[in-house]
mmCIF file of all heavy atoms in Angstrom:
data_model
loop_
_atom_site.group_PDB
_atom_site.id
_atom_site.type_symbol
_atom_site.label_atom_id
_atom_site.label_comp_id
_atom_site.label_asym_id
_atom_site.label_seq_id
_atom_site.Cartn_x
_atom_site.Cartn_y
_atom_site.Cartn_z
ATOM 1 N N LYS I 1260 100.311 103.744 51.494
ATOM 2 C CA LYS I 1260 100.520 104.746 52.511
ATOM 3 C C LYS I 1260 99.967 106.076 51.978
ATOM 4 O O LYS I 1260 100.040 106.358 50.793
ATOM 5 C CB LYS I 1260 101.984 104.890 52.820
ATOM 6 C CG LYS I 1260 102.601 103.719 53.539
ATOM 7 C CD LYS I 1260 104.077 104.039 53.901
ATOM 8 C CE LYS I 1260 104.555 102.959 54.803
ATOM 9 N NZ LYS I 1260 105.896 103.379 55.296
ATOM 10 N N PRO I 1261 99.645 106.926 52.939
ATOM 11 C CA PRO I 1261 99.338 108.335 52.499
ATOM 12 C C PRO I 1261 100.577 109.096 52.114
ATOM 13 O O PRO I 1261 101.726 108.652 52.421
ATOM 14 C CB PRO I 1261 98.686 108.950 53.823
ATOM 15 C CG PRO I 1261 99.371 108.210 54.910
ATOM 16 C CD PRO I 1261 99.540 106.768 54.425
ATOM 17 N N GLY I 1262 100.406 110.114 51.383
ATOM 18 C CA GLY I 1262 101.488 111.008 51.049
ATOM 19 C C GLY I 1262 101.092 112.400 51.326
ATOM 20 O O GLY I 1262 99.930 112.725 51.525
ATOM 21 N N ILE I 1290 105.918 116.678 59.474
ATOM 22 C CA ILE I 1290 104.469 116.265 59.465
ATOM 23 C C ILE I 1290 104.253 114.978 58.728
ATOM 24 O O ILE I 1290 103.593 114.069 59.122
ATOM 25 C CB ILE I 1290 103.570 117.400 58.880
ATOM 26 C CG1 ILE I 1290 103.512 118.619 59.809
ATOM 27 C CG2 ILE I 1290 102.162 116.856 58.591
ATOM 28 C CD1 ILE I 1290 102.872 119.841 59.180
ATOM 29 N N ALA I 1291 104.891 114.877 57.518
ATOM 30 C CA ALA I 1291 104.839 113.627 56.719
ATOM 31 C C ALA I 1291 105.341 112.456 57.463
ATOM 32 O O ALA I 1291 104.692 111.422 57.444
ATOM 33 C CB ALA I 1291 105.590 113.803 55.351
ATOM 34 N N VAL I 1292 106.442 112.546 58.097
ATOM 35 C CA VAL I 1292 107.017 111.468 58.907
ATOM 36 C C VAL I 1292 106.089 111.081 60.003
ATOM 37 O O VAL I 1292 105.736 109.960 60.276
ATOM 38 C CB VAL I 1292 108.429 111.793 59.410
ATOM 39 C CG1 VAL I 1292 108.917 110.826 60.436
ATOM 40 C CG2 VAL I 1292 109.399 111.907 58.212
ATOM 41 N N ASP I 1293 105.614 112.172 60.742
ATOM 42 C CA ASP I 1293 104.733 111.868 61.871
ATOM 43 C C ASP I 1293 103.375 111.218 61.514
ATOM 44 O O ASP I 1293 102.871 110.400 62.269
ATOM 45 C CB ASP I 1293 104.406 113.179 62.624
ATOM 46 C CG ASP I 1293 105.578 113.808 63.394
ATOM 47 O OD1 ASP I 1293 106.592 113.021 63.487
ATOM 48 O OD2 ASP I 1293 105.505 114.963 63.768
ATOM 49 N N LYS I 1294 102.899 111.508 60.247
ATOM 50 C CA LYS I 1294 101.660 110.922 59.794
ATOM 51 C C LYS I 1294 101.918 109.594 58.990
ATOM 52 O O LYS I 1294 100.970 109.027 58.510
ATOM 53 C CB LYS I 1294 100.911 111.909 58.858
ATOM 54 C CG LYS I 1294 100.525 113.196 59.511
ATOM 55 C CD LYS I 1294 99.297 112.996 60.432
ATOM 56 C CE LYS I 1294 98.845 114.295 60.996
ATOM 57 N NZ LYS I 1294 97.682 114.146 61.833
ATOM 58 N N GLY I 1295 103.111 109.096 58.964
ATOM 59 C CA GLY I 1295 103.393 107.871 58.342
ATOM 60 C C GLY I 1295 103.316 107.932 56.806
ATOM 61 O O GLY I 1295 103.039 106.893 56.124
ATOM 62 N N CYS I 1296 103.584 109.060 56.266
ATOM 63 C CA CYS I 1296 103.512 109.213 54.774
ATOM 64 C C CYS I 1296 104.752 108.590 54.163
ATOM 65 O O CYS I 1296 105.831 108.657 54.685
ATOM 66 C CB CYS I 1296 103.516 110.726 54.418
ATOM 67 S SG CYS I 1296 102.020 111.560 55.039
ATOM 68 N N GLY I 1297 104.452 107.967 52.989
ATOM 69 C CA GLY I 1297 105.492 107.375 52.240
ATOM 70 C C GLY I 1297 106.212 108.383 51.282
ATOM 71 O O GLY I 1297 107.308 108.031 50.780
ATOM 72 N N ARG I 1298 105.533 109.482 51.067
ATOM 73 C CA ARG I 1298 106.126 110.481 50.070
ATOM 74 C C ARG I 1298 105.793 111.897 50.594
ATOM 75 O O ARG I 1298 104.735 112.095 51.164
ATOM 76 C CB ARG I 1298 105.573 110.267 48.717
ATOM 77 C CG ARG I 1298 105.899 108.934 48.077
ATOM 78 C CD ARG I 1298 105.264 108.856 46.672
ATOM 79 N NE ARG I 1298 105.634 107.666 46.012
ATOM 80 C CZ ARG I 1298 104.921 107.034 45.099
ATOM 81 N NH1 ARG I 1298 103.723 107.577 44.751
ATOM 82 N NH2 ARG I 1298 105.297 105.922 44.551
#
Side-chain angles (χ1 to χ4, degrees):
K1260 289 184 172 190
I1290 291 170
V1292 168
D1293 291 347
K1294 296 286 187 182
C1296 295
R1298 295 179 178 154

